[in-house]
Amino acid sequence: MKENNLDKEITSIRQLMERSTKFISLSGLSGVMAGIYALIGAGISYQVVYAAFPGRYSYNPGDTESTEKVITRLLLVALGVVLFALVNGIWLTVRNAKKKGQRFWNPSSRSLMINMLIPLITGGLFILIMIFRSYFGLIAPACLIFYGLALINGSHFTVGDVKWLGICELVLGLFAALFPGYGLFFWAAGFGVLHIVYGIMMYYKYDR
Amino acid sequence: MRSAFEHFDKAFENRIRLQIMSVLAANESYDFNSLKELLEVTDGNLASHLKGLEKEEYIQVNKSFLGRKPNTRYVATKKGLTAFTNHLQALENLIRSQQKG
């Protein structure tokens, strides 16, 4: 055995251990696209809120009827953003996985999904409960915080950089909670700007 | 030089066995089909090496059903993990001693 062969052997073991636990085919471009959809969604939401309550960012539930209308519209916009981002993300990631010779559906992508879904579903239900109880002020911070926790939880099963995106989302979420009334702007920064910046970084680091 | 090789585990002389063990060391458990895809080996080849590791009591086999499909999962035993770590240590020691010389 030569030194070169031994080195290769150990590198291949390391790679195998990493490849079997981590799903590395997440597409950077899908992050950029998700960010763009989020910004478009935030733009529409801004218009919706402004049209209903000119002159202020937050909606103190005085006029219940129009508040309800606004909330329904905002929920539809949010649903649209999530749907577009998910479909686009899955499509780009499948394509990326093919290019890298990794299966899209394998034990590591399964672990990634389960570990992200636990905080995401908890957060989603929590936010729905807040909506039904008319606690609108903390919806945007809750979105950011639960999403950040989901990213950190999932980061063990994909490239480690995801953890930093998660921490940034958490920090933004806490700041959003400190400044009530500016939720939409923090939301746009977290889901729009951060995704675009992160996506571009990932694209240059891994996808090319 | 010879002494360094003494610590090498005979069970890991085969590359595929060592690869199987590395996957099982990094994961709680792994199923047959995913292993096959990851290592890019044939059914028969993988099965025979898994048998070999099972005989050494390095891995444990858990058979169950997912609906109607049989689902065979493999788990590294404590003995297997110790052997794997020792083998890796021996490899690294060998590299270090070669770099010095």
Side-chain angles (χ1 to χ4, degrees), chain A residues 23-43:
Chain A
F23 185 71
I24 47 152
S25 305
L26 280 184
S27 154
L29 278 184
S30 68
V32 176
M33 292 313 289
I36 291 171
Y37 293 138
L39 283 184
I40 294 172

Side-chain angles (χ1 to χ4, degrees), chain B residues 14-92:
Chain B
N14 180 286
R15 207 181 144 69
I16 293 171
R17 287 191 194 184
L18 187 58
Q19 288 182 324
I20 294 171
M21 216 52 214
S22 6
V23 174
L24 293 184
N27 293 274
E28 253 176 71
S29 72
Y30 228 73
D31 66 282
F32 187 88
N33 288 328
S34 305
L35 258 181
K36 195 177 81 179
E37 271 160 27
L38 191 66
L39 303 181
E40 295 171 336
V41 287
T42 60
D43 274 39
N45 200 354
L46 180 60
S48 80
H49 287 305
L50 284 167
K51 266 266 151 55
L53 287 171
E54 200 188 339
K55 222 174 253 165
E56 296 278 344
E57 295 177 342
Y58 283 3
I59 62 172
Q60 207 183 331
V61 187
N62 294 332
K63 285 191 179 170
S64 64
F65 279 85
L66 263 181
R68 269 187 215 164
K69 274 192 198 159
N71 180 31
T72 315
R73 304 196 68 87
Y74 298 90
V75 184
T77 61
K78 227 177 216 169
K79 191 180 166 193
L81 285 177
T82 317
F84 177 69
T85 337
N86 288 341
H87 186 80
L88 278 193
Q89 194 61 55
L91 271 176
E92 267 165 20

Side-chain angles (χ1 to χ4, degrees), chain A residues 40-60:
Chain A
I40 294 172
I44 297 172
S45 305
Y46 185 78
Q47 302 261 317
V48 169
V49 176
Y50 239 75
F53 309 99
R56 56 192 161 107
Y57 304 124
S58 60
Y59 18 88
N60 292 320

Side-chain angles (χ1 to χ4, degrees), chain A residues 3 6 9 17 20-21 103, chain B residues 15 22 26-27 37 91 98:
Chain A
E3 185 185 331
L6 281 178
E9 187 89 354
M17 288 171 93
S20 65
T21 46
R103 279 284 198 110
Chain B
R15 207 181 144 69
S22 6
N27 293 274
E37 271 160 27
L91 271 176
Q98 280 181 345

Side-chain angles (χ1 to χ4, degrees), chain A residues 59-76:
Chain A
Y59 18 88
N60 292 320
D63 179 358
T64 16
E65 201 180 315
S66 62
T67 302
E68 234 166 64
K69 239 187 235 165
V70 166
I71 291 294
T72 321
R73 279 188 199 152
L74 290 182
L75 269 180
L76 283 177

Side-chain angles (χ1 to χ4, degrees), chain A residues 8-25:
Chain A
K8 244 187 232 161
E9 187 89 354
I10 289 197
T11 328
S12 91
I13 290 171
R14 289 232 175 85
Q15 275 174 353
L16 202 56
M17 288 171 93
E18 181 152 316
R19 209 147 50 96
S20 65
T21 46
K22 289 178 188 288
F23 185 71
I24 47 152
S25 305

